[in-house]
Amino acid sequence: LEESYLKGGYDVLVLRRTTPCEDGYSKAVEFLNNEIVHKYDWKALTYFLLVNALPPYLKFITDSKTIDRCLETENAYFCSELVGYALMKEKEYCFERDPHKIMPVDFYNSLCFEKIGEIKGDKKDNLTPCAKKTRTTRSKRWAPSCGA
């Protein structure tokens, strides 16, 4: 966490459940420690794209069991999905949707979570060092470069 986010210059919002857990979230912490080694769920981004891009009258598409099966990846998690499953382990899950359908913004909910801290990073964009914009003289377009 420290290397990736705190030293990486990202903004970090620190939240906690408004209802305290009796055992101090030991099951959630154990789950996170075991699952953090798994890969990032890039398919989940497809779901979020569909949810945000589809007009309201087509939202039934994202509620389809077929879409769920297509976008569900075993042993891969999107950031909010991982935390959602950890909260389920503690029986502290407070969302109406399944963990693979919750978004990071869903945690910014004062009924379930309270803000206890915030770290403002110095990162000006959300691009990784490998996706910095460089100008090419030939095409005169912005293009990603890595190590060039």
Side-chain angles (χ1 to χ4, degrees):
L1 175 71
E2 184 178 352
E3 286 296 319
S4 299
Y5 293 99
L6 300 181
K7 290 184 180 176
Y10 293 95
D11 290 352
V12 177
L13 183 63
V14 183
L15 304 171
R16 96 172 131 209
R17 285 282 283 135
T18 53
T19 56
C21 185
E22 289 182 20
D23 73 352
Y25 294 100
S26 62
K27 293 175 192 164
V29 170
E30 181 182 347
F31 172 80
L32 291 170
N33 283 332
N34 291 332
E35 299 299 314
I36 199 74
V37 298
H38 294 297
K39 58 189 173 192
Y40 191 80
D41 188 4
W42 292 103
K43 285 184 180 180
L45 294 178
T46 305
Y47 171 77
F48 296 128
L49 176 68
L50 285 172
V51 165
N52 291 307
L54 288 175
Y57 61 88
L58 292 177
K59 293 291 185 189
F60 70 91
I61 294 172
T62 58
D63 293 334
S64 160
K65 295 277 187 207
T66 303
I67 292 292
D68 279 355
R69 281 192 304 272
C70 290
L71 297 179
E72 186 77 26
T73 305
E74 194 171 321
N75 294 327
Y77 298 96
F78 187 73
C79 56
S80 53
E81 178 184 17
L82 181 64
V83 175
Y85 278 114
L87 288 172
M88 279 184 138
K89 293 289 182 189
E90 292 290 348
K91 299 190 179 11
E92 290 287 325
Y93 193 74
C94 58
F95 303 103
E96 293 176 5
R97 294 174 296 195
D98 293 334
H100 68 278
K101 291 184 176 181
I102 58 173
M103 297 182 202
V105 72
D106 293 332
F107 288 92
Y108 205 58
N109 173 345
S110 61
L111 296 175
C112 296
F113 300 94
E114 64 181 318
K115 179 179 165 183
I116 60 170
E118 185 174 11
I119 301 167
K120 287 289 187 185
D122 58 0
K123 198 163 197 71
K124 300 296 182 223
D125 59 22
N126 291 326
L127 300 175
T128 60
C130 190
K132 288 181 182 173
K133 294 178 181 176
T134 59
R135 189 153 195 163
T136 59
T137 56
R138 185 171 178 206
S139 66
K140 295 197 178 185
R141 291 186 304 165
W142 292 101
S145 72
C146 190

